[in-house]
Amino acid sequence: MDTRHSDQNLQSTPSVFPRLSYEGHYRCPVCYYGELSGMTLMESFGCNFCRHIFTADLQTQVLRLADHAQALSWRWDGRRWQPSYAGDPSRARTLAIVGSALVLLPTLVVGLAVYLFPPLPDAPGAWFPVGWVGLTCLSHLALVLWLAGESYLFPPYRALPIQLSRRLSRR
């Protein structure tokens, strides 16, 4: 059996999935709504919806977000983008601990104050301190989720404001 002939057949067989190239059009990995296409006279991609700019390494099929402080990257598998985590894994753990502390500590302080100084049971506003504890927890949770959305560019978080502004501008 001639192994050289079988190796040539494997190499000449076209790939089932297209490789990343500047001539192609791909779904944006940030907003999942727009389309990436190669930018004229540049070796980069641009999204027509969220307006982010990406640089690509065509050899390794990796796309990197160029206009963001955090180094976000995705690997093209021929059909869709796979997140490529090149950062420090302990960073996510640290951010989760800090985020949890930002939600829990203020809620515990307000809850402790309500426990130590409870309102009179027959007072008309007896529900207010418990509602204040809930509002403290929800507002701090919203703050942490907003910071996580800004930092990690979650696709639904990025697409919603753009879609809302486009709908409001049509009116």
Side-chain angles (χ1 to χ4, degrees):
M1 178 184 222
D2 186 15
T3 59
R4 196 182 80 189
H5 182 65
S6 63
D7 288 341
Q8 288 175 350
N9 285 342
L10 287 175
Q11 290 174 354
S12 65
T13 305
S15 174
V16 177
F17 300 112
R19 292 187 49 85
L20 183 64
S21 71
Y22 291 116
E23 290 79 30
H25 296 279
Y26 310 94
R27 179 184 282 197
C28 179
V30 172
C31 66
Y32 285 153
Y33 191 78
E35 185 177 85
L36 293 181
S37 57
M39 297 177 74
T40 307
L41 299 176
M42 296 177 67
E43 291 183 351
S44 60
F45 288 97
C47 177
N48 64 355
F49 185 73
C50 66
R51 305 288 186 216
H52 280 293
I53 298 173
F54 302 87
T55 59
D57 183 359
L58 299 180
Q59 296 297 325
T60 60
Q61 299 288 290
V62 172
L63 189 74
R64 288 181 185 81
L65 188 59
D67 61 352
H68 196 262
Q70 191 166 344
L72 299 174
S73 61
W74 297 266
R75 183 173 303 281
W76 178 248
D77 69 358
R79 292 177 294 178
R80 58 193 149 118
W81 298 108
Q82 298 293 330
S84 173
Y85 303 105
D88 185 16
S90 66
R91 182 173 187 259
R93 187 175 35 251
T94 303
L95 290 176
I97 292 170
V98 170
S100 299
L102 283 174
V103 172
L104 294 176
L105 289 179
T107 304
L108 290 174
V109 168
V110 173
L112 183 64
V114 169
Y115 178 75
L116 292 176
F117 306 105
L120 297 174
D122 297 334
W127 61 270
F128 183 74
V130 175
W132 192 259
V133 172
L135 185 64
T136 302
C137 181
L138 289 177
S139 63
H140 283 83
L141 180 63
L143 175 72
V144 168
L145 291 176
W146 172 70
L147 289 173
E150 285 292 324
S151 178
Y152 287 104
L153 297 177
F154 296 121
Y157 176 80
R158 297 302 300 169
L160 183 66
I162 299 169
Q163 289 174 346
L164 286 176
S165 67
R166 285 191 176 183
R167 287 185 183 165
L168 291 175
S169 67
R170 289 182 193 163
R171 292 182 180 184

